[in-house]
Amino acid sequence: MDTNRPAPRRIGVLGGMGPAAAIDLQARILALTPASRDEDHIPVVCWNVPQVPPRVPAILSGGPSPLPALLEGVRALEAAGAEAIAIACNTAHHWADDLRAEMGVPLIDIGEATVREIGHLPRPPRLAALAATRGTLASGFFARRLDAAGIPWIAPDEAAQALLDEAIAAVKSGDAPSGGRLLALAAGTMHQRGADLLVAACTELPLAARALPPAIALVDTTQALARAVVDFARAPRAPGD
Amino acid sequence: MDTNRPAPRRIGVLGGMGPAAAIDLQARILALTPASRDEDHIPVVCWNVPQVPPRVPAILSGGPSPLPALLEGVRALEAAGAEAIAIACNTAHHWADDLRAEMGVPLIDIGEATVREIGHLPRPPRLAALAATRGTLASGFFARRLDAAGIPWIAPDEAAQALLDEAIAAVKSGDAPSGGRLLALAAGTMHQRGADLLVAACTELPLAARALPPAIALVDTTQALARAVVDFARAPRAPGD
């Protein structure tokens, strides 16, 4: 191994919500890493354990909290030497502050990563449409970050949200093509309301978005998170770090 | 969660060799699992840490052993609750017995899984061509399992092996299309020598094989391993298990 080039930092991926999203995040991290040999790649430990109480009912209707299951994953990742943790699920970021309070390493925040990604677009959006689960929207997690960054945004109306719910469920059941058709319909109604940017703020949605027509620009929160992970893992270490 | 359907067993994936192969194995496990909800999927913890001394020089020319790094991964996966471990690298199975001696849970063996997969083909191969790294071939790991199952096989000649070495390196550097062209050339020469089945016994090769012409049947060891993982994870538990 080239001892002049220090190994990148080890990243923990907290997944399972759903498991395809965590695999997608790992693939994006790999694709974004300049590497010519195995050992140039970022060391990743992925906790992809989907036996977690569902996040949306926990936020909307007082279902059992996923927090204990999330903390079990965080502890396993920390024990495996993770130097930072990325959560491959937007909705689970509802518990980001609770997790941070128990974590000994930084959380690479998908909302902050997305706002940074929007800031790198060739021109700022006139109006962003936030495509997410009802849980993420009710949580206000993304809204607070968009508001703080001064990015004007709208939520889906009830008809568009019903299409998004179906699109997300289709991806979770392995049917990404149906998910893509439903997402395109939802994106069309938000485009009619003036949105010129779709923020795909559910890790299942980019998996459905590959065939999306280019009538509306897309910011993919999984891609934004992957970029933030690669930046963190490859940043030069301070002396003694 | 449906308490009548017990959760599948938790699987540890020992990866990093290379990291794309471990992501590929996770994707195959997901695709092979019948599931309509997140929690139907198999819980997987993946140690995808590529800072491992290279396996082929360790076998061929006495380079530093990867065994300590492999054992670090095994211990992390066991600590994370893995009930069995699958290694997403054929060559690393050279150390399978050393690992088994230190493991408290079963190893799901890629060689045994592949022999089982060959047994399920519509007709037995006349002659199998073993496409692998020089390390896997020198190790004799696969050869012993094919011999024990009575499957006649050939190794690549020097020209075909040089093509395979290049194909594997191309995949590791992110260039699967070039890998596919090189693999097709190597497969052609082994087909000329009478082989009617290509055993892609390196986890990088299936990533290159997607565009392989159908002149020769393919057994994909990653797919075989994924199937063995799903079978293990979903097998009914004995009382008290």
Side-chain angles (χ1 to χ4, degrees), chain B residues 60-232:
Chain B
L60 294 184
S61 48
S65 171
L67 187 59
L70 297 175
L71 281 172
E72 187 193 356
V74 162
R75 285 184 187 123
L77 293 171
E78 289 187 336
E83 296 174 74
I85 290 176
I87 307 177
C89 173
N90 282 279
T91 310
H93 279 74
H94 179 70
W95 291 272
D97 289 339
D98 298 312
L99 292 171
R100 276 197 187 93
E102 303 274 338
M103 279 165 62
V105 299
L107 175 70
I108 302 179
D109 183 302
I110 201 169
E112 290 166 15
T114 300
V115 164
R116 214 157 41 235
E117 188 96 347
I118 295 174
H120 291 149
L121 291 174
R123 56 192 174 85
R126 218 170 38 237
L127 183 64
L130 190 52
T133 64
R134 293 176 196 265
T136 296
L137 290 165
S139 163
F141 164 80
F142 250 95
R144 285 192 295 278
R145 279 156 181 77
L146 292 170
D147 287 343
I151 299 166
W153 65 278
I154 53 170
D157 60 19
E158 177 54 36
Q161 186 62 49
L163 291 165
L164 290 173
D165 293 348
E166 275 189 75
I168 293 164
V171 173
K172 283 188 187 289
S173 72
D175 185 5
S178 293
R181 284 187 291 275
L182 294 158
L183 175 60
L185 289 171
T189 72
M190 294 196 276
H191 184 55
Q192 279 169 2
R193 291 172 60 202
D196 57 347
L197 180 72
L198 186 74
V199 180
C202 169
T203 41
E204 320 296 319
L205 288 176
L207 296 168
R210 283 165 188 168
L212 201 65
I216 186 167
L218 182 90
V219 163
D220 172 343
T221 58
T222 304
Q223 187 74 5
L225 182 58
R227 214 183 303 278
V229 162
V230 173
D231 289 348
F232 176 91

Side-chain angles (χ1 to χ4, degrees), chain A residues 26 38 41 44 46 48 51, chain B residues 26 41 44 46 48 51 172:
Chain A
Q26 293 173 77
D38 286 351
H41 280 286
V44 172
C46 178
N48 209 358
Q51 287 72 32
Chain B
Q26 294 173 76
H41 280 286
V44 171
C46 179
N48 209 0
Q51 286 73 30
K172 283 188 187 289

